[in-house]
Amino acid sequence: VQLQASGGGLVQAGGSLRLSCVGSGSAFDDMGWYRQAPGKQRELVADITSLGSTNYADSVKGRFTISRDNAKSTVYLQMNSLKPEDTSVYYCNARWVVAGTGELLEIWGQGTQVTVSS
């Protein structure tokens, strides 16, 4: 089971980027994006359930949109109106409950760097 993230890069303030994260090896219940800036704790950016319910950090509401394609086990993060403070390493995350045991499992993708210049 693994996640493969892509789509980071360098963009000017006010610009847009789209992150993608493709999962394999399992069906996932919740998928999401976190970010971690140097010297700071990893924080939730947005997550989405398999039924499409979403949750956003206050700092990105109205600018970022999370979506997913369950058939492709893929989660996306459309980031608009980017600000320098959005600069961070972005990580995708997936959680699921193992059928039969009820065990909750979680995996992380490799990070992808997003840099927003002022």
Side-chain angles (χ1 to χ4, degrees):
V1 181
Q2 63 179 356
L3 299 174
Q4 182 69 40
S6 62
L10 172 64
V11 65
Q12 288 188 332
S16 298
L17 283 174
R18 188 191 195 211
L19 305 183
S20 300
C21 178
V22 181
S24 61
S26 179
F28 305 110
D29 295 318
D30 297 339
M31 301 185 78
W33 291 94
Y34 290 70
R35 66 187 181 186
Q36 187 169 19
K40 294 187 177 182
Q41 289 188 329
R42 190 171 296 188
E43 62 176 2
L44 173 71
V45 176
D47 59 18
I48 183 169
T49 69
S50 58
L51 298 179
S53 294
T54 58
N55 177 46
Y56 293 93
D58 288 342
S59 59
V60 307
K61 284 181 180 177
R63 300 187 298 122
F64 292 9
T65 302
I66 190 170
S67 60
R68 65 187 285 177
D69 183 332
N70 290 331
K72 297 180 180 179
S73 295
T74 300
V75 62
Y76 306 97
L77 186 69
Q78 178 66 44
M79 305 184 293
N80 298 329
S81 301
L82 281 161
K83 304 176 181 180
E85 51 263 45
D86 295 317
T87 295
S88 194
V89 178
Y90 285 71
Y91 298 89
C92 58
N93 169 275
R95 298 181 297 276
W96 70 101
V97 176
V98 178
T101 69
E103 182 183 8
L104 178 63
L105 298 181
E106 178 179 49
I107 59 169
W108 293 89
Q110 89 289 5
T112 184
Q113 177 71 45
V114 172
T115 302
V116 184
S117 64
S118 57

